[in-house]
Amino acid sequence: MYRILQLVLLFASSSVLGQYSVSTIDGNWLNKAPLVIRNHEVSLTEISETELLYAHKQVITVLKESGRSDAGFFEIYEEGEKVKFQSMQVYDGTGKLIKKYKNGVESDVPFIGGSNFVEDPRRIKKLSPPEVPVPFTVEIQWEKRVPKSLFLPKWFPSISEDAYCESATFKATLSDGFPILWSSSNLSFDSIKTKEGSLRTRKLMRYETDC
């Protein structure tokens, strides 16, 4: 039997998934944020006794040039992990689809860490942000397979200090023999459903929020 843990953060009740027009973004965010995370979904599934699968879907609207660098696909992985880029779709400011990327990535190169004196075995797969005029929206999907361990990576609903987030979801489907202990900072949950394992909060305003 499997248990399902789901964390849901919803911040703009007027946001409708699949409609990426800039006109649907809160007016206060349009004036302040270089980018808005329209949707950030992470689904974790235990696919075997030794392996976990992370499925990602991220929708980002870039409002200013300073937010462009955060709108690409970037995933760091280690030996024993596998990353599969699935798709990137690009929409203009009205929400019209203008470009698609499928299969493959622009580069798969060694990751250069913070020290030049220690060899870093990690690699990074990436696809640079599209060269289209702002505002624009990217919808990116990818998967990552990792060996099962005692610790799960931190979950950051936001991706940068200046980003605002409309909707973010983390969902884990694990066997009964895989209990989860979790903690959070700068979150004020207004409802907790223990039976379904879901958590909901009103607003995400700062990057330091994580679970």
Side-chain angles (χ1 to χ4, degrees):
M1 181 178 294
Y2 281 81
R3 298 173 295 107
I4 297 179
L5 168 69
Q6 186 169 9
L7 309 181
V8 181
L9 309 182
L10 297 176
F11 316 111
S13 59
S14 62
S15 175
V16 180
L17 298 180
Q19 297 181 359
Y20 303 143
S21 171
V22 173
S23 64
T24 63
I25 298 176
D26 187 296
N28 293 325
W29 297 4
L30 288 173
N31 297 326
K32 297 178 181 179
L35 71 155
V36 173
I37 300 168
R38 315 296 292 274
N39 186 35
H40 185 185
E41 299 177 11
V42 180
S43 178
L44 168 63
T45 304
E46 182 182 6
I47 57 177
S48 74
E49 294 182 354
T50 59
E51 193 173 31
L52 300 173
L53 173 66
Y54 286 87
H56 297 260
K57 179 180 179 181
Q58 193 171 69
V59 181
I60 302 172
T61 294
V62 178
L63 302 173
K64 302 177 182 178
E65 281 295 334
S66 57
R68 184 184 294 272
S69 60
D70 290 316
F73 164 71
F74 312 94
E75 185 65 51
I76 299 170
Y77 67 100
E78 302 179 2
E79 184 177 354
E81 300 178 344
K82 299 178 181 178
V83 175
K84 181 181 179 181
F85 169 82
Q86 294 177 312
S87 67
M88 176 191 287
Q89 298 190 137
V90 185
Y91 301 80
D92 65 13
T94 66
K96 178 183 177 181
L97 179 65
I98 57 176
K99 199 166 187 178
K100 290 183 179 181
Y101 301 83
K102 286 190 177 181
N103 303 321
V105 293
E106 181 180 86
S107 60
D108 183 353
V109 297
F111 176 75
I112 301 176
S115 174
N116 294 326
F117 303 100
V118 179
E119 183 177 354
D120 194 329
R122 295 176 295 174
R123 297 182 65 84
I124 181 170
K125 287 190 176 184
K126 59 183 180 179
L127 181 62
S128 297
E131 293 297 328
V132 296
V134 295
F136 66 88
T137 297
V138 293
E139 178 188 281
I140 311 170
Q141 296 188 62
W142 73 97
E143 292 182 346
K144 185 175 185 180
R145 292 174 179 258
V146 302
K148 188 186 294 185
S149 67
L150 295 176
F151 301 97
L152 302 179
K154 286 186 175 181
W155 176 54
F156 292 90
S158 187
I159 59 174
S160 73
E161 295 181 2
D162 298 324
Y164 283 81
C165 186
E166 289 184 339
S167 174
T169 303
F170 178 89
K171 180 178 180 180
T173 303
L174 304 168
S175 64
D176 289 335
F178 198 145
I180 295 179
L181 300 177
W182 63 275
S183 64
S184 64
S185 62
N186 294 314
L187 284 176
S188 177
F189 294 108
D190 59 9
S191 68
I192 300 178
K193 299 179 181 178
T194 55
K195 183 177 180 180
E196 298 178 1
S198 64
L199 303 174
R200 187 181 298 265
T201 188
R202 299 191 186 103
K203 291 184 178 180
L204 169 66
M205 299 298 292
R206 297 190 295 173
Y207 174 68
E208 58 218 39
T209 300
D210 64 270
C211 298

